[in-house]
Amino acid sequence: MKIINSISELKATVKQARQADMTVGFVPTMGYLHEGHLSLMYTAKKENDFLVASIFVNPLQFGPSEDYAVYPRDLERDAKLAEQAGVDVLFAPPEAEMYPQGVQNMNTYVDLKGITDKLCGKQRPGHFRGVATVVTKLFNIVGPDYAYFGQKDAQQVLVLKKMVQELNMNVVIRVLPIVREVDGLAMSSRNVYLEGPQRQAALVLYNSLCQAQKLLQQGQRNAGLIRDTISQLISQQPLATIDYVEIVDLQNLQPVEVITDAVLIALAVKIGKVRLIDNLLWEE
Ligand code: AMP
């Protein structure tokens, strides 16, 4: 596996693969890899001849009071894991390579209306503009046929699918299921922040989604009632603070009252200072 830091070298390397008629898969990440990231890489490797993964903690998608400075980073460990997962090129650009003019001096953004001011976008203004802009830059740099994302970040998937469709980008978005720890906690780079009893307390996200699923399986279709059940379960956990609990239409992220179609049950919960998200996709 080659580790590349410069955009021009990355472009030249992918060009060679293309000249050899290879298909190119791409897995963008912010690093500190876990099995969730690796599942994207395994699948991407199976489905493409040449696999590029990126590790870039993107300052543009973090708010001023968020954890950009302390976001966990370990390139050496990540490189070993990526190589084992079959990555051919690991693209790890420094911030100055991606934003030579400085993030504060950007002129061009990719900004989606509507779906970005809901769920996580409400709490994190500018977050999805940062995501859409950096993913566009990465797509332009890598030029992949297929790009792989996790259902864990359900709103991100929706935003990127819309972006690719509306801007006619030449890439197919592939979405893979949430990978969980054995006890159900959705894997996340931020799980390393959970200390002592917080780790156990964090299970309340998954457990409340399981309870919601049970209600749906029993025929419950009143979204308000399901939402209240989830909120009550989370409120009973003293270390947990709800950011949001929402049941929304999968197409436009508008809240629904009666579940008649595919919905996303999405949660953001703080365990201490650690903000975790999880979700359940329910298709009728
Ligand atoms: P991140 O490094 O957090 O930006 O994540 C990079 C990619 O990995 C995104 O497409 C995430 O949705 C995906 N991902 C993160 N955690 C998981 C997980 N537990 N299961 C599946 N995919 C995940």
Side-chain angles (χ1 to χ4, degrees):
M1 185 185 76
K2 218 167 162 182
I3 301 179
I4 294 181
N5 306 116
S6 97
I7 292 172
S8 57
E9 192 186 344
L10 192 278
K11 282 185 172 173
T13 307
V14 175
K15 196 171 171 186
Q16 277 180 358
R18 287 231 168 270
Q19 279 165 350
D21 260 348
M22 291 173 139
T23 56
V24 178
F26 178 43
V27 179
T29 81
M30 297 204 299
Y32 215 72
L33 302 180
H34 52 64
E35 284 296 330
H37 299 116
L38 298 179
S39 74
L40 303 179
M41 294 174 187
Y42 296 136
T43 302
K45 182 67 180 179
K46 267 189 233 146
E47 296 181 353
N48 298 273
D49 303 317
F50 192 76
L51 175 56
V52 180
S54 64
I55 293 187
F56 181 61
V57 183
N58 173 35
L60 205 58
Q61 71 191 64
F62 286 79
S65 60
E66 293 181 1
D67 56 349
Y68 174 68
V70 296
Y71 194 84
R73 294 162 168 90
D74 188 344
L75 185 59
E76 212 176 301
R77 174 180 163 276
D78 285 350
K80 280 190 199 128
L81 291 170
E83 184 162 29
Q84 285 163 12
V87 171
D88 295 296
V89 167
L90 188 64
F91 180 48
E95 187 181 324
E97 182 73 0
M98 290 295 279
Y99 300 111
Q101 72 283 57
V103 264
Q104 304 307 327
N105 301 318
M106 289 277 284
N107 297 103
T108 314
Y109 295 100
V110 179
D111 207 355
L112 286 89
K113 269 208 311 197
I115 49 171
T116 54
D117 56 14
K118 301 176 173 65
L119 306 180
C120 286
K122 230 188 275 175
Q123 262 92 20
R124 307 183 70 188
H127 171 68
F128 288 109
R129 185 176 78 161
V131 170
T133 302
V134 82
V135 171
T136 299
K137 282 168 72 70
L138 289 166
F139 283 175
N140 285 337
I141 293 164
V142 178
D145 299 290
Y146 293 89
Y148 296 78
F149 295 89
Q151 180 60 27
K152 159 98 189 318
D153 298 273
Q155 189 174 9
Q156 170 170 282
V157 163
L158 194 73
V159 166
L160 296 177
K161 277 185 169 172
K162 277 228 178 348
M163 175 184 92
V164 163
Q165 183 204 348
E166 293 186 4
L167 296 184
N168 307 96
M169 293 182 173
N170 272 328
V171 56
V172 175
I173 302 282
R174 294 270 290 119
V175 184
L176 298 183
I178 301 176
V179 177
R180 299 179 178 281
E181 303 285 356
V182 274
D183 60 6
L185 178 67
M187 290 200 183
S188 163
S189 306
R190 290 190 169 100
N191 290 349
V192 294
Y193 299 146
L194 296 169
E195 289 172 355
Q198 292 180 337
R199 172 62 183 77
Q200 185 67 21
L203 284 180
V204 75
L205 283 88
Y206 177 64
N207 289 342
S208 62
L209 286 174
C210 289
Q211 190 57 36
Q213 189 171 33
K214 229 184 250 170
L215 290 173
L216 282 159
Q217 282 163 349
Q218 288 163 1
Q220 183 56 255
R221 292 295 177 270
N222 180 334
L225 192 143
I226 296 173
R227 207 171 38 229
D228 289 348
T229 305
I230 296 173
S231 299
Q232 276 165 18
L233 278 170
I234 299 173
S235 305
Q236 283 163 18
Q237 169 48 253
L239 299 179
T241 317
I242 294 173
D243 252 12
Y244 65 77
V245 173
E246 296 210 41
I247 302 183
V248 295
D249 182 292
L250 196 57
Q251 299 310 315
N252 55 22
L253 301 185
Q254 293 288 357
V256 301
E257 283 313 318
V258 180
I259 298 167
T260 54
D261 224 325
V263 290
L264 180 74
I265 306 185
L267 317 178
V269 175
K270 282 206 184 94
I271 305 292
K273 285 192 178 132
V274 190
R275 185 176 182 280
L276 301 176
I277 58 171
D278 203 343
N279 68 79
L280 169 73
L281 197 61
W282 175 263
E283 288 173 288
E284 287 290 339

